[in-house]
Amino acid sequence: MKLKKENILIVDDNYDMLELLQRHLKTFHFHTYKASSVSEAIEVLKSSKIDLIITDLQMPEINGIELIKYAEEHFPSIPKLVITGFPSVDTAINAVKSGAIDYLSKPFTRDELRKAIDNYLNNKQEIKSETIENQSNSENFSMGIVGNSEEHYQLIDVIKRVKDNRVTVLIEGESGTGKELIARAIHYQGLFANNPFITVNCGGIPETLLESELFGYVKGAFTGANETKKGLFHAAEGGTIFLDEIGNASLAVQSRLLRVLQEKEITMVGALIAEKIEVRIISATNSNLQNMIKNGTFREDLYYRLNVVNIETIPLRNRKADILPLLQTFIHKYEKEYNKSNITITPKALEILTRHYWPGNVRELENMVQRLIILCDHEIDVSLIPNQLKYKQPDDDFSLKPLSEIEKSYILKVLAAVHNNKTKAAEILQIDRKTLRQKLL
């Protein structure tokens, strides 16, 4: 098979290995970029169009795993192939978890190298071709977001309108409706796609640490601040910072965020001088921020600054036309993952899956398809579908709310009644503060 002249970045601190790899790649008619450190590799990624990264793991200062993580976050479409002289199960797991597609053990032959490259570049090209074909046929795949409903096309239109500017976007909706997917589509389809995309789970970072994680701190700012450390806003410079579950940010963090939006600058914890910064902010929440404003737990002025463009994700139960294209997409995805092909679904099974309420939204649907693909041979039929999905469900939204949603609603009422005193609320609810924080995620 004739290989196309792709751009391959090779990273290794051993110059002999770099030269060997380059010679092999030239015989395959590839164009190569060389880097002897992770820092050099990042500079190449920022300035050049790269189709594949081949990196060693064991390197001084910063190892190859960190490069894979960086590339996975900022250049997710680039395949990453690891080469290592210290193969082990842990090595493989860590590399793949970080975003690598596979790894080769040293020493490897020229043919083994070619086969690995051939596999993954061809796979990437197939995915790209499928996407282009679907888009050209006006089918149901656009920017990684699948659907065929009127709401789907309205969403795609909004994404196209905001992707090339730094307007602030607030995405609101239930868990599992794809809020982060929308944020990534806005970033990676726009003018700033080659700049960083940084995700911050405001509910996953302890309240006491969120401020310093976002804005960084100077040496001596607090006990344990033994050196100056830049924050996540610094890391997102020139790109996008995605603040997930923004409703969990403390009032102190909210105040600092307001300054970022108003003045386009940040002040590190313990610093006296502010720094100018150019970052697009996309926020998301499954909380009702307007209720939180009434309760005094969310700043009204920050809400309007964050909500310049509002995107409300629609629950899957209210856009049934999207279920079939989503099913097709997930079946295709897990056929590949579990090495199966030509999986079909019976009309009755399809009717049940289309009728289901899907309280967990798209995430629940994907998990169900994964389960069905694992269990079936060549056909998904009714016998494989869990019994709770087979019963017809009423349209009464209240009776079908997930328990976690009802719990969270009640907890918010208790917090409002005690003026957001979490210790008092935990006492009333007879749970500890840690459990309270988890239930609010």
Side-chain angles (χ1 to χ4, degrees), residues 16-17 21 35 57 59 64 118 164 192 216 244 254 278 291 299 304 306 314 324 334 336 349 370 377 395 414-415 426:
D16 290 337
M17 178 56 70
L21 283 168
L57 287 184
M59 288 184 285
D118 199 8
D164 292 330
F192 315 109
D244 197 13
Q254 291 177 36
E278 192 68 55
N291 282 347
R299 293 183 61 128
Y304 289 114
L306 293 173
I314 310 300
L324 181 57
Y334 290 108
K336 286 187 174 181
Q370 182 180 12
D377 292 321
D395 294 328
V414 173
L415 279 169

Side-chain angles (χ1 to χ4, degrees), residues 214-229:
L214 283 173
F215 306 108
Y217 54 83
V218 298
K219 183 177 180 180
F222 49 82
T223 303
N226 299 322
E227 59 182 0
T228 296
K229 180 185 175 184

Side-chain angles (χ1 to χ4, degrees), residues 30-66:
F30 289 115
H31 182 263
T32 59
Y33 292 81
K34 293 190 296 184
S36 59
S37 69
V38 171
S39 299
E40 286 182 21
I42 290 173
E43 291 305 313
V44 173
L45 287 169
K46 287 180 177 178
S47 60
S48 308
K49 183 184 181 299
I50 300 298
D51 298 294
L52 173 68
I53 300 170
I54 301 177
T55 181
D56 188 22
L57 287 184
Q58 301 298 326
M59 288 184 285
E61 296 182 359
I62 308 174
N63 64 34
I65 291 290
E66 295 306 314

Side-chain angles (χ1 to χ4, degrees), residues 296-311:
T297 55
F298 201 86
R299 293 183 61 128
E300 185 174 17
D301 47 3
L302 176 61
Y303 173 77
Y304 289 114
R305 287 282 184 176
L306 293 173
N307 199 28
V308 176
V309 172
N310 180 274
I311 296 177

Side-chain angles (χ1 to χ4, degrees), residues 154-402:
Q154 289 173 351
L155 171 62
I156 297 303
D157 182 63
V158 173
I159 291 173
K160 288 178 178 178
R161 291 177 185 274
V162 303
K163 65 186 178 65
D164 292 330
N165 55 61
R166 296 191 187 279
V167 65
T168 305
V169 179
L170 176 63
I171 308 170
E172 298 181 282
E174 294 180 8
S175 294
T177 51
K179 296 188 286 294
E180 183 172 348
L181 186 62
I182 294 169
R184 288 183 177 275
I186 292 171
H187 176 79
Y188 286 111
Q189 293 296 321
L191 290 176
F192 315 109
N194 289 330
N195 295 335
F197 178 89
I198 303 296
T199 299
V200 183
N201 183 349
C202 297
I205 301 175
E207 188 176 308
T208 53
L209 297 179
L210 183 58
E211 194 171 1
S212 58
E213 286 292 314
L214 283 173
F215 306 108
Y217 54 83
V218 298
K219 183 177 180 180
F222 49 82
T223 303
N226 299 322
E227 59 182 0
T228 296
K229 180 185 175 184
K230 292 191 173 183
L232 295 168
F233 266 96
H234 292 95
E237 174 67 40
T240 302
I241 189 165
F242 175 54
L243 303 176
D244 197 13
E245 295 309 328
I246 187 64
N248 289 334
S250 67
L251 289 171
V253 170
Q254 291 177 36
S255 178
R256 281 182 172 266
L257 286 173
L258 184 63
R259 182 173 180 81
V260 175
L261 290 164
Q262 288 175 334
E263 308 297 336
K264 306 295 182 186
E265 62 184 27
I266 62 171
T267 304
M268 299 174 73
V269 176
L272 299 176
I273 301 174
E275 307 169 59
K276 287 292 181 183
I277 194 164
E278 192 68 55
V279 173
R280 167 173 41 197
I281 297 177
I282 301 178
S283 304
T285 183
N286 60 13
S287 303
N288 188 320
L289 295 185
Q290 293 186 343
N291 282 347
M292 292 182 68
I293 290 169
K294 292 176 184 176
N295 298 334
T297 55
F298 201 86
R299 293 183 61 128
E300 185 174 17
D301 47 3
L302 176 61
Y303 173 77
Y304 289 114
R305 287 282 184 176
L306 293 173
N307 199 28
V308 176
V309 172
N310 180 274
I311 296 177
E312 183 177 352
T313 60
I314 310 300
L316 190 55
R317 60 184 173 274
N318 294 336
R319 47 187 178 98
K320 295 285 189 179
D322 290 342
I323 292 179
L324 181 57
L326 283 166
L327 278 170
Q328 293 169 335
T329 299
F330 295 142
I331 288 172
H332 183 60
K333 172 181 176 180
Y334 290 108
E335 275 182 335
K336 286 187 174 181
E337 181 167 332
Y338 297 111
N339 197 27
K340 296 186 176 183
S341 60
N342 301 318
I343 299 293
T344 60
I345 182 168
T346 65
K348 185 62 178 176
L350 180 60
E351 178 191 339
I352 291 171
L353 294 174
T354 304
R355 184 184 69 206
H356 184 57
Y357 187 77
W358 299 114
N361 292 297
V362 178
R363 187 181 296 126
E364 181 189 1
L365 176 63
E366 180 173 4
N367 291 342
M368 179 57 61
V369 172
Q370 182 180 12
R371 175 185 186 275
L372 294 172
I373 294 295
I374 292 171
L375 294 178
C376 79
D377 292 321
H378 300 290
E379 182 180 70
I380 298 171
D381 62 20
V382 175
S383 66
L384 298 176
I385 297 176
N387 287 332
Q388 65 266 27
L389 269 68
K390 296 176 185 177
Y391 305 122
K392 288 191 176 182
Q393 297 165 312
D395 294 328
D396 182 1
D397 284 2
F398 178 79
S399 66
L400 292 169
K401 282 185 178 180

Side-chain angles (χ1 to χ4, degrees), residues 78-96:
I78 303 177
K80 301 105 184 153
L81 178 62
V82 165
I83 53 176
T84 177
F86 306 95
S88 70
V89 174
D90 288 341
T91 299
I93 291 173
N94 288 336
V96 172

